[in-house]
Each structure stands twice: as C-alpha cells, then as structure tokens.
Amino acid sequence: MGGLRNVSSVCSISEMDDFDLSRLLNKPKLNIERKRSFDERSLSELSIGLARGLDTYETTHSPGGRSGFGTPASSTRNSFEPHPMVADAWEALRRSMVYFRGQPVGTIAAYDHASEEVLNYDQVFVRDFVPSALAFLMNGEPDIVKHFLLKTLYLQGWEKRVDRFKLGEGVMPASFKVLHDPIRKTDSLVADFGESAIGRVAPVDSGFWWIILLRAYTKSTGDLSLAETPECQKGMRLILTLCLSEGFDTFPTLLCADGCSMIDRRMGIYGYPIEIQALFFMALRSASSLLKHDEEGKEFIERIVKRLHALSYHMRSYFWLDFQQLNDIYRYKTEEYSHTAVNKFNVIPDSIPDWVFDFMPTRGGYFIGNVSPARMDFRWFALGNCIAILSSLATHEQEMAIMDLIEARWEELVGEMPLKIAYPAIESHEWRIVTGCDPKNTRWSYHNGGSWPVLLWLLTAACIKTGRPQIARKAIDLAETRLLKDSWPEYYDGKVGRYIGKQARKYQTWSIAGYLVAKMMLEDPSHLGMISLEEDRQMKPMLKRSSSWTC
C-alpha cells in the first residue's frame, strides 16, 4: 500500500531530501504588529459585556506566558478566578502531547489507559488537533502549532496509494504517528491518508483545516514568514488545485463520499455535505488572505473569488431552511423543466420528513445537511452551521436565525451535554439502510445524534460572533457539571446526552481542548479574530429576507 513512497512504509526525517524543515523551524519571526484586516470581525460592535474590554483587540497577539497553575494567561488577567477544571484540563492536554526529535508536533486523539484497544487513538489527527492548536495559540505557545503545520505539510508530499490507485498530490493526511526506536535512538513518521480508515475514505476536511489553522497561527502571532514560505504557498496551491479543478459538476459545491470528515463512518452524508461546504468556503477565504500576490498566487486568488461568489449564492439559496422556505418546499410543484423552474432540484414534497415540521420554529433557521437532485437531507449538523457563522457563509440575518433556532430548540440540540453533532437520530429501517446496520452509530449514539463536547468551542465562537455570549456561558456551565467527573469522554449518548457514550474513549484530547478554547474565548473575546471571518461586502446576498428573520 502507498505511504511515503509507499504508504505502509515508515520514513525517517533524514529522508526529507530538499525539504529542509530545520531551516523553516529556525526562521526568525517577523515582529509585525497585528492590524485589523478585512477578514476580522470588529468585536467592538458586539455588546457582550464580558469582563475584559476589547480595546486592545487591534494591537495584541495571543497572551504570552502561563500562570503558575498551567492555566491560560488570559484567565489570570481577569477579575474572577478560573474554574478548578481549567488546571486539570491543561494538565491532561499537556499529557497528550506528541514529540518528534524532541519537538512537540501535536496531540494524540485520546489518552485512555483503561481502554483495551488503542486502535488509532494514539495518533495525531489533523481535525482533532485544531482545538488543541487554538488552545496553545491562545495561551501564547505557538511553537507546537508551527511544528504541526510543517510536519503535515511534509507528509503532504508523500506518494499516496490505496491498493493500486494513486491519490491526488494535494491530499493531506487524516493522521500521523511518531514511532520511537529506542535502540537506534531515531524517530520516524507513519501517516494515514485514508488507506487504513474505516471505509478507506480520504479525509476531505484535513486540507481545509490545515489552511484555516495556518491563518489562525498567522493572526495569533503576527508571524507572516511561515505562510509566505515557498513550501506553505505550494501546499495551499496543491490543496486548492484538488478542489477547484473543473469536471462534470454543475454546482459550485464539492461532491464527497460518506465518511470523509468528522463523521467518518457511513451516515448518509455522501453528496454535498454541509460540513465540507462550510469548511471549503472558510478555507477558500483563508487562502485568499494568505496567498502571495505573485504570478501563481494571483491566478489562484482570481479562481477563489469566482468560486466564492458562486458557492455563497448556492448555499444561501438552496441549503438554507426556515419556516417560510419549508412552507414553500411543502407546496412545490414537481417535474418542472427549463430555467424557469422553481423546484430546481425536483424535490418531492412527500419526501419531507414529519419531524422537521415540528422542529422548525417560526423564528429561526439553519443550513440543512445536503442538497442534490431529488434529495434534501433536512438533518441539523452542528459543525457545518457553526462554521457557516464563523466564515460568514451565512448572512448576518442567517447567523441570527441559526442562534434563534439553537435557543428555541435547546432541549433537542443541547440537552444535558453540548452539543448534538446531528439531529435527529435515524433509527429502525432507515438506520439499517443508511448506516448498513452500523453497531456504533445506533440511535442517539456517536455520529447518529450523539452529543460531542468538542463542539463547545465552535458553539462558543459562534455565540461571541453573533453577540450572544450568554448562550455559550449556559452551555459551558452544563459541560462543567460532568466533563471532569466523567474523565473527559469523547461523546455522550441518549436523546439529551445524559449517558457517557457506550464506546467513548476517556481523556479524549479534543474534548479537553474544546473546553479550554471555549473558556478562553469567553474570557477574552479578542481570541475570536484568529478563527472568524467578517462578511465580504462584495458577496452581497441576493436573497430576500424571509418571515423568520423579521418576526
């Protein structure tokens, strides 16, 4: 199987050829004062009444140094004492750190010694490391993030094969592992590009998260030198080449297989899943601010701008659902032909599930899970909707409507443990057909309606951006009643998230990091700038306001 010149093989750092990581890692930082750019939301517009003022947002970077208890420096600057869980969370997060030749390069997925099967939870996953990276950046510790970005960039250059098929050059790994040889005293890397994953699906989201994290690092540190290296510029272009290539597509959205993202098992998200489209949008916007305006960069920026306009219109028009839109779909005519068709995807009204009529409040809305010919997946997916807010894929009115929905349907989407990854659960005959009788994704468990604490950081960021920190505070208070006592589980089961997941790992790193990031953002909202993008005024919404936005 493929890997480094062979995926199943192991590579020593000495085989890096002309990719001189030491040169990049030792490159001096530019002492650049961070200015408010076009893609940072003006937090001064948010009347959120939090403890720390926002007057230093434009000129400060991530807080430097730590308190004596290993808690964020931002906590020590506030007038209130940090929650006792914070110190425990930092200790657990540091315990999960992975080192390559003495340098930290990431965090393992879970540090659960009680589990009999390690599986791949001892690896560094790209998507899992994002909240860990944000926590370290917010705590003034950017080195681990820089090392991670460079190691994964190096792994991108490997030849990737699954059986006899070669994957695209720009594919980022789903995960990697550091192998220590105590006899030879050497470290080597082994990566998984999907050839070892359940379902053998390449991670579409890894490349997007990499670009988003590169921007977060740049915003947090003010260090432009990393993103401007030829290696990082090439890495971004390779990722963009994969997703901007022309083919048979008639939509600007990305066509994906099941299991290509956080939901990495068969769950009926094949087609055009909201999570991938929102991450795609955010990665495109992030890349446009990071690419150099040289000959190659300008060409990609032009392609990005065209795609962003098409993608934002498509998503805001066809993926958005509120009370009025639901009523319109309910009254759709079918079998329409020509460009004058209203029901452009020929969705059959009888295919609308019964639950959505009761779930949809008169005030509120969300981006549905999937839209393709004759098919609309009406399920709510938390990650996609939160990223839609943070990336400004959602208009301001749509952002408010998403938050209205979360408040109106708190019991269903949050319950006793934030946050439902998807709602509602699929069960009975539908579960057998959609999941293939997956014993891990039974109703209200794991990806099928399970509650994932890691999503707390995304909810908190969305709350701060929309000026509703009280929602985040309520969710964090809920999490603090259970997470530490339950040893930081991966996920919770049940209709309201009451029970620790039946196969949930304990000391799940992104559950720990997600909590820390949520706490630090709420205490110091200026951190939001590294993970949030202001609406691009050039992409003006071409939609009329529905009744749900004006009620």
Side-chain angles (χ1 to χ4, degrees):
M1 306 294 174
L4 156 79
R5 286 120 185 158
N6 228 329
V7 165
S8 60
S9 64
V10 176
C11 173
S12 170
I13 198 71
S14 61
E15 297 180 48
M16 289 175 54
D17 302 324
D18 58 341
F19 196 106
D20 189 353
L21 276 182
S22 62
R23 174 174 58 84
L24 293 178
L25 289 171
N26 295 325
K27 202 164 189 177
K29 289 185 182 179
L30 297 179
N31 186 17
I32 299 173
E33 184 180 279
R34 187 174 68 176
K35 298 293 185 182
R36 185 190 314 227
S37 66
F38 74 95
D39 60 354
E40 284 184 323
R41 182 166 178 80
S42 175
L43 291 177
S44 60
E45 298 171 2
L46 303 179
S47 302
I48 56 180
L50 294 173
R52 183 166 182 252
L54 302 179
D55 55 316
T56 58
Y57 173 64
E58 296 186 34
T59 56
T60 57
H61 304 316
S62 293
R66 301 192 302 276
S67 72
F69 299 101
T71 55
S74 60
S75 296
T76 64
R77 287 198 298 266
N78 282 284
S79 58
F80 50 85
E81 289 296 319
H83 194 281
M85 278 176 59
V86 171
D88 187 275
W90 274 108
E91 183 182 342
L93 181 60
R94 296 191 191 285
R95 200 163 56 233
S96 72
M97 291 170 66
V98 174
Y99 293 82
F100 183 85
R101 298 188 67 174
Q103 293 180 325
V105 293
T107 51
I108 58 173
Y111 193 82
D112 186 359
H113 288 308
S115 177
E116 295 180 0
E117 286 186 297
V118 175
L119 296 178
N120 56 358
Y121 283 82
D122 62 343
Q123 297 185 22
V124 180
F125 280 81
V126 172
R127 74 175 69 94
D128 290 41
F129 181 66
V130 171
S132 296
L134 296 177
F136 286 120
L137 288 174
M138 291 177 187
N139 202 41
E141 302 177 64
D143 286 349
I144 185 174
V145 182
K146 184 175 185 177
H147 297 155
F148 169 85
L149 288 167
L150 290 172
K151 287 295 182 293
T152 46
L153 181 62
Y154 161 59
L155 294 172
Q156 183 195 41
W158 287 13
E159 181 179 279
K160 303 167 277 279
R161 289 184 181 275
V162 178
D163 293 336
R164 298 183 180 182
F165 184 71
K166 183 178 178 181
L167 276 68
E169 189 179 0
V171 174
M172 281 286 186
S175 62
F176 67 88
K177 187 175 181 178
V178 177
L179 300 179
H180 304 285
D181 188 332
I183 299 175
R184 296 182 179 179
K185 295 182 179 180
T186 59
D187 289 347
S188 53
L189 298 173
V190 59
D192 177 17
F193 292 91
E195 77 282 356
S196 299
I198 295 174
R200 303 301 186 264
V201 179
V204 177
D205 62 338
S206 286
F208 299 151
W209 278 123
W210 188 89
I211 293 175
I212 292 166
L213 187 55
L214 178 62
R215 176 188 174 273
Y217 171 87
T218 304
K219 290 291 179 184
S220 173
T221 63
D223 176 15
L224 303 175
S225 63
L226 178 62
E228 290 182 348
T229 59
E231 293 82 4
C232 282
Q233 292 288 310
K234 180 183 178 182
M236 283 189 285
R237 291 196 302 267
L238 287 174
I239 295 168
L240 294 170
T241 298
L242 280 178
C243 51
L244 293 177
S245 58
E246 297 177 350
F248 292 100
D249 298 308
T250 54
F251 313 131
T253 42
L254 286 181
L255 182 62
C256 304
D258 238 338
C260 65
S261 58
M262 178 181 176
I263 298 178
D264 58 1
R265 300 168 74 92
R266 182 175 162 188
M267 269 292 292
I269 66 164
Y270 63 88
Y272 305 90
I274 178 61
E275 176 179 337
I276 292 298
Q277 313 315 321
L279 286 172
F280 179 33
F281 184 86
M282 191 168 192
L284 288 178
R285 293 202 61 197
S286 298
S288 68
S289 67
L290 295 171
L291 286 169
K292 296 173 71 173
H293 287 255
D294 52 19
E295 187 174 344
E296 285 182 297
K298 282 183 179 179
E299 179 189 347
F300 273 94
I301 291 171
E302 289 176 3
R303 294 169 66 186
I304 287 172
V305 170
K306 290 179 182 178
R307 189 61 166 263
L308 283 172
H309 279 273
L311 184 60
S312 61
Y313 176 79
H314 184 89
M315 297 299 295
R316 293 167 181 176
S317 300
Y318 305 123
F319 274 68
W320 181 253
L321 188 72
D322 56 22
F323 182 84
Q324 183 61 54
Q325 181 67 6
L326 178 59
N327 206 160
D328 290 345
I329 297 171
Y330 176 69
R331 291 167 50 83
Y332 269 170
K333 295 179 181 178
T334 60
E335 310 302 326
E336 293 179 300
Y337 183 74
S338 86
H339 64 278
T340 60
V342 175
N343 184 2
K344 294 186 178 181
F345 295 92
N346 196 36
V347 175
I348 311 300
D350 286 347
S351 69
I352 303 174
D354 292 338
W355 65 264
V356 77
F357 293 104
D358 294 326
F359 178 72
M360 179 61 69
T362 54
R363 176 173 177 168
Y366 64 104
F367 289 97
I368 63 174
N370 220 310
V371 177
S372 58
R375 176 181 177 236
M376 296 181 84
D377 183 350
F378 289 91
R379 284 177 294 175
W380 151 274
F381 291 91
L383 194 151
N385 276 275
C386 287
I387 292 292
I389 290 176
L390 296 177
S391 65
S392 291
L393 171 59
T395 64
H396 175 71
E397 293 85 356
Q398 288 172 337
E399 290 177 2
M400 296 301 113
I402 292 171
M403 300 310 299
D404 287 342
L405 178 84
I406 292 173
E407 286 194 281
R409 296 293 176 258
W410 184 265
E411 187 68 15
E412 291 87 346
L413 301 180
V414 180
E416 296 183 17
M417 177 57 65
L419 181 66
K420 286 292 180 196
I421 188 173
Y423 181 89
I426 51 178
E427 46 192 315
S428 304
H429 180 67
E430 185 182 12
W431 167 78
R432 289 190 286 272
I433 297 298
V434 172
T435 73
C437 300
D438 187 352
K440 195 167 185 178
N441 272 329
T442 53
R443 64 176 184 171
W444 306 115
S445 181
Y446 202 51
H447 298 141
N448 188 13
S451 299
W452 290 69
V454 63
L455 298 172
L456 190 60
W457 81 265
L458 284 161
L459 175 63
T460 300
C463 289
I464 295 172
K465 186 170 188 270
T466 54
R468 303 194 193 184
Q470 71 281 1
I471 300 177
R473 167 54 59 200
K474 186 178 177 182
I476 291 172
D477 288 346
L478 269 177
E480 286 178 339
T481 64
R482 293 284 304 272
L483 282 180
L484 179 59
K485 183 177 67 174
D486 295 340
S487 302
W488 307 98
E490 179 183 10
Y491 63 95
Y492 286 77
D493 285 353
K495 207 164 187 178
V496 294
R498 180 174 297 167
Y499 304 97
I500 298 173
K502 59 185 175 182
Q503 294 187 41
R505 291 298 194 278
K506 300 291 185 70
Y507 293 97
Q508 184 79 15
T509 304
W510 69 356
S511 296
I512 298 164
Y515 167 73
L516 287 172
V517 172
K519 290 286 284 187
M520 285 191 280
M521 277 196 294
L522 202 55
E523 292 171 9
D524 183 357
S526 69
H527 289 312
L528 181 67
M530 71 175 76
I531 200 66
S532 176
L533 294 153
E534 188 179 3
E535 184 175 0
D536 187 344
R537 303 303 179 190
Q538 294 180 351
M539 288 188 290
K540 293 181 179 179
M542 302 175 66
L543 303 173
K544 294 181 179 179
R545 292 189 178 186
S546 72
S547 59
S548 72
W549 297 340
T550 56
C551 287

